[in-house]
Amino acid sequence: MNIKNSCLIAILIINRLVCPAQEKRGAYIPWTTYEAEQMNTTGTVMGSKYGPYQVETESSGQKCVNLSDKGQYLEFTSSENANCMVIRYSLPDGKKGNGQNSTLGIYKNKKLIQHVNISSHYSWLYGKYPFTNNPADGTPRHFYDEVSITGLTIEKGDVIKIQRDDQKEDNANYCIVDLVDLENAALPIKAPSNSLSVTDKSFRGSDLTDDYTEAFRNCIAKAEETGKSVWIPAGTFKITGDIVLPPNITVQGAGMWHTRLVGDEKLYADVNKRVRLKGNGSNIHIADFAIIGKLNYRSDKEANDGIVGSFGVNSTISSVWIEHTKVGMWIENSKNLKITGCRMRNTMADGINFCVGMTESTIENCTARGTGDDCFAIWPAVFLNQAFSPGHNIITHCTGQLPFLANGAAIYGGESNKITGCSFADISQGSAILVSTTFPTENKEKNINNNFSGKTVIEDCDIKTSGGFDHEWGWRAAVEICVDKRSISGIEINNLNITNSLSNGLSIIAKNDINKIGLLSDATLQNVNISNFGMGIKGRYALFINRDAHGSLIIKKSDIPKIKNESENFTIVK
C-alpha cells in the first residue's frame, strides 16, 4: 500500500471517529443518569405536572419519587462501572426556612456501602423575585439540591439501592428523589512540573487552622514572582476571602472530583468571606477543581461569588465544578476567553454570564443544572466601563437543565453572538432559548449602544419539555424572541428540533411602552421542526405572535403545524 492510500484511509478513519462527536448536540456527558420514576421503588411516583410552584415541575421529565416512610427505597441496575454518584433530592423545609436533615443509605447488591447526610438548608425560596427564605411568603421554588459521593466501587450489573435510612437526629418527614448520576471519574491528576503547591509549609507560615486563604494568596504571589504554576492537590481546602488571579498565572487542581475549594458556612453571610476567584488580567489559566460555596439566599445587591472578574485576553477556564454560590461564573471585559468542560450546579443565580465588554469568547461543552437564573447568558451590560466592544461570543455544545428561574440560554444584545449545537431540557420556569431586549444595554452619556447588531444565530439545537411559567412574564415559549421597547435586526434560527413544549413552541412577543416600540426585522426560521406543544397549558401554538409584536419573519423549509398571529403589525413570509 502506498503512502497516499495509507493517508487517505487514515483520514477516513479519523472522520468516522470525529464527525459523530461534532454532530452531537449538547455537551459531552461523562455520567449516566437513572431517572427515579423508572426505578424499582416502594415509594410513590409523582407527576407529571407542569404548573408553577410544584416539585414535579422542577423534576427531570416532570416526574419524581417520594419516599415518605423510613425504609422506602429506589433500586436500579448499573449499566456501567462507576466510582462516583450524584443524587438529586428534595427534603421539606423547616418551619422557619432553615431547612431539615435526613439520611440516605447507599446499598450495593443488598449490602450497605455507606450512609449519606442530606439537607434542605440550601434549597427552598419563596415570594417574589429575588425571593426570600421565609415560608410564609408562599409561592415556593428551588425544591432540589444534590449530594455527591466519591470512593465507590460499582461494576456493571451491580444493583444499587437508595434507601431512606433516617437517623435519630433526622427531622424530615419525606425525601423526594429525582435522579441518580453514576460516573467513573479519572484518578487524581499528578502535580505538573515547575509548580508550587498551596500545601507547602512556607505558604502557611504559623497558620495551623484549616483555612487556606492566605496560603493560596502567598502561593499565587510566589508563582507570579518565579514564573511557576500553582498546584492544588487532591483534598478539601477552606477559603474565606477573595483569591485574586493576576496576569500570566496558571492554577491547576487534581480534578473536579478530587480538589475542592469550600466555603465556611458560619462566615458565608459576610459577602467578603466567600469563595471567590477573581480574574485580574490576561493569560490566566485555571483548571480541574471544584468550588463549593455555602450560599442559601439571593441578594442582587451583594457581589457575586464563584468565578468573577476580568480575564483580559487569551485566558482559559476548564473542568471546574461550581455549586452553592450566587453565580457559577460572571465574567467581564475578556477577549478570546475559552470556558470548556465546566459544570454549574445549584447556584442562586446564573450558571455562566458573559456580561460587560465580552468579545470573541466561548462557552463550550459545559453543563448547568438547577441554576437560579439563566444557565448560560450573554448580556452586554453597561454598568462598568467596557474594555472591548461586545460581540462575536459563542455558546456551543452545552447542555442546560432544570433552572428554577429563567432560561436555558439567553442573548440580551451585542453584535453577532451565537448559540449552536446545544441541548436544553426541562426548562420549566422560562424559555430554553431567549433572545430579548429586556435588560439595559445602552449608555447614552458615553455614546454606547450594545443592542443587537450583525447576525444573531441560533442553530443546531435540540429542545424538549421547555417553555414554562415565568413569574413576571407568564408562560414563556420554548424558544422566544422578545422585542420589547427596542428593535432586533438580524436573527437566523436554523436546524432546531423543539418537542413537548410546556407552552408555545416558539413565540415572538413584546410589551411596548408608549413611544417605545421594538421592531423585528431581517429574521429567518429555516429547518425548524416543532411538535407536541401546550403540554402544560391548553390553547397554545407551534408559533405564536402576540398582539404587541411589530415586524416580520421569514419561514423556510420548516415543519410548524399551528401558527397564530395576533398582531396587525407583524407579517409572516413563507
Side-chain angles (χ1 to χ4, degrees):
M1 184 180 295
N2 61 39
I3 294 175
K4 182 178 180 180
N5 287 339
S6 297
C7 291
L8 180 59
I9 292 172
I11 290 170
L12 290 173
I13 292 172
I14 290 170
N15 284 339
R16 288 174 184 173
L17 292 174
V18 172
C19 288
Q22 292 175 332
E23 292 171 1
K24 179 184 181 296
R25 297 181 177 187
Y28 164 69
I29 305 295
W31 62 86
T32 301
T33 296
Y34 302 82
E35 296 287 350
E37 68 273 12
Q38 296 175 3
M39 299 178 190
N40 179 33
T41 183
T42 56
T44 303
V45 175
M46 301 172 62
S48 303
K49 289 185 179 179
Y50 305 101
Y53 319 124
Q54 300 177 101
V55 66
E56 296 94 333
T57 307
E58 281 191 24
S59 303
S60 176
Q62 290 68 60
K63 290 184 179 182
C64 52
V65 172
N66 186 2
L67 306 179
S68 58
D69 295 317
K70 181 177 179 179
Q72 288 190 324
Y73 65 85
L74 308 105
E75 193 174 66
F76 65 96
T77 300
S78 175
S79 62
E80 305 289 343
N81 295 344
N83 54 22
C84 300
M85 176 185 295
V86 173
I87 303 172
R88 189 170 193 257
Y89 68 89
S90 176
L91 292 181
D93 198 1
K95 292 182 179 179
K96 297 182 179 180
N98 56 348
Q100 298 190 56
N101 303 314
S102 191
T103 308
L104 290 174
I106 312 299
Y107 294 79
K108 182 179 74 173
N109 300 327
K110 299 183 179 181
K111 183 179 180 180
L112 177 67
I113 301 175
Q114 66 181 88
H115 282 119
V116 178
N117 295 323
I118 56 176
S119 172
S120 56
H121 179 69
Y122 297 104
S123 52
W124 293 90
L125 293 173
Y126 305 92
K128 296 182 178 181
Y129 173 88
F131 315 118
T132 74
N133 297 93
N134 182 9
D137 290 333
T139 58
R141 67 176 65 232
H142 186 23
F143 302 102
Y144 280 102
D145 199 0
E146 298 178 6
V147 60
S148 302
I149 306 150
T150 60
L152 303 174
T153 303
I154 297 173
E155 296 182 353
K156 181 179 180 180
D158 283 343
V159 177
I160 305 301
K161 181 167 68 173
I162 312 296
Q163 182 168 289
R164 188 175 162 197
D165 282 354
D166 301 25
Q167 307 297 296
K168 291 182 179 179
E169 64 274 16
D170 291 353
N171 52 19
N173 58 15
Y174 68 78
C175 176
I176 294 171
V177 178
D178 183 23
L179 56 82
V180 176
D181 293 334
L182 292 184
E183 181 174 352
N184 206 28
L187 293 173
I189 298 168
K190 295 182 179 180
S193 60
N194 201 37
S195 63
L196 302 173
S197 175
V198 296
T199 58
D200 191 297
K201 292 182 180 179
S202 65
F203 301 130
R204 302 215 64 192
S206 59
D207 186 357
L208 300 179
T209 69
D210 60 352
D211 191 330
Y212 271 81
T213 308
E214 285 304 317
F216 268 74
R217 292 170 177 168
N218 293 336
C219 186
I220 289 171
K222 191 66 174 180
E224 185 181 20
E225 176 188 331
T226 60
K228 296 184 177 182
S229 64
V230 174
W231 166 243
I232 319 172
T236 299
F237 302 89
K238 184 188 289 186
I239 303 296
T240 59
D242 288 2
I243 306 298
V244 178
L245 304 173
N248 306 310
I249 199 75
T250 296
V251 180
Q252 173 70 54
M256 63 169 65
W257 279 101
H258 305 292
T259 298
R260 295 160 53 95
L261 312 186
V262 178
D264 188 327
E265 185 176 330
K266 296 178 181 178
L267 301 176
Y268 226 76
D270 186 337
V271 70
N272 296 312
K273 295 187 180 297
R274 296 177 180 170
V275 187
R276 181 167 33 242
L277 273 61
K278 190 173 184 179
N280 190 34
S282 297
N283 196 34
I284 297 169
H285 305 282
I286 58 180
D288 297 302
F289 56 86
I291 294 174
I292 309 298
K294 300 293 180 179
L295 193 65
N296 68 346
Y297 67 91
R298 177 167 179 170
S299 173
D300 288 348
K301 296 179 181 179
E302 296 182 347
N304 297 313
D305 50 329
I307 295 177
V308 304
S310 169
F311 286 78
V313 180
N314 299 333
S315 296
T316 61
I317 303 171
S318 58
S319 299
V320 177
W321 180 323
I322 305 178
E323 190 163 1
H324 291 157
T325 51
K326 182 180 174 185
V327 299
M329 304 182 198
W330 187 280
I331 312 296
E332 299 151 352
N333 288 325
S334 303
K335 180 178 181 179
N336 195 35
L337 170 66
K338 308 288 187 186
I339 300 176
T340 57
C342 294
R343 304 182 194 181
M344 308 297 113
R345 298 286 186 271
N346 310 306
T347 57
M348 282 290 145
D350 302 66
I352 302 175
N353 192 313
F354 278 176
C355 198
V356 178
M358 294 298 298
T359 186
E360 299 174 19
S361 295
T362 303
I363 305 169
E364 182 175 12
N365 194 35
C366 293
T367 63
R369 186 167 72 196
T371 59
D373 218 308
D374 297 330
C375 294
F376 309 102
I378 298 171
W379 175 30
V382 290
F383 54 79
L384 294 175
N385 290 328
Q386 58 186 40
F388 306 104
S389 179
H392 303 279
N393 302 295
I394 301 175
I395 301 169
T396 180
H397 288 91
C398 290
T399 295
Q401 300 169 289
L402 296 159
F404 60 86
L405 175 70
N407 312 288
I411 301 177
Y412 298 109
E415 181 181 357
S416 299
N417 294 304
K418 180 184 289 188
I419 299 170
T420 179
C422 292
S423 174
F424 301 100
D426 302 314
I427 314 297
S428 64
Q429 314 293 325
S431 298
I433 298 176
L434 175 68
V435 179
S436 175
T437 58
T438 300
F439 294 117
T441 58
E442 184 177 6
N443 186 324
K444 293 183 179 180
E445 293 180 359
K446 295 183 178 180
N447 196 30
I448 296 173
N449 187 348
N450 295 332
N451 195 24
F452 290 90
S453 61
K455 285 288 185 182
T456 300
V457 177
I458 312 295
E459 65 182 8
D460 300 329
C461 294
D462 287 338
I463 295 161
K464 64 179 183 178
T465 51
S466 297
F469 186 82
D470 182 316
H471 66 295
E472 292 183 346
W473 285 79
W475 288 88
R476 293 275 196 184
V479 175
E480 190 153 285
I481 302 171
C482 181
V483 194
D484 187 37
K485 305 176 185 65
R486 288 174 292 160
S487 296
I488 299 178
S489 177
I491 293 183
E492 293 183 358
I493 300 179
N494 307 315
N495 305 323
L496 262 59
N497 295 319
I498 304 172
T499 61
N500 295 337
S501 300
L502 307 189
S503 181
N504 296 311
L506 192 151
S507 288
I508 299 170
I509 67 168
K511 287 184 178 180
N512 294 308
D513 293 339
I514 296 175
N515 299 323
K516 287 186 177 180
I517 295 176
L519 180 73
L520 180 66
S521 61
D522 190 19
T524 303
L525 301 183
Q526 183 163 303
N527 294 326
V528 174
N529 301 306
I530 303 175
S531 60
N532 199 19
F533 42 86
M535 292 179 64
I537 182 169
K538 295 180 180 179
R540 299 294 154 141
Y541 303 90
L543 171 61
F544 174 72
I545 316 295
N546 88 334
R547 67 186 62 184
D548 292 325
H550 289 66
S552 61
L553 175 69
I554 299 171
I555 300 177
K556 300 178 179 179
K557 300 178 182 179
S558 296
D559 185 4
I560 304 176
K562 189 176 181 182
I563 298 174
K564 177 68 172 180
N565 184 359
E566 288 187 343
S567 175
E568 296 179 353
N569 300 295
F570 196 93
T571 303
I572 297 173
V573 180
K574 293 184 180 181

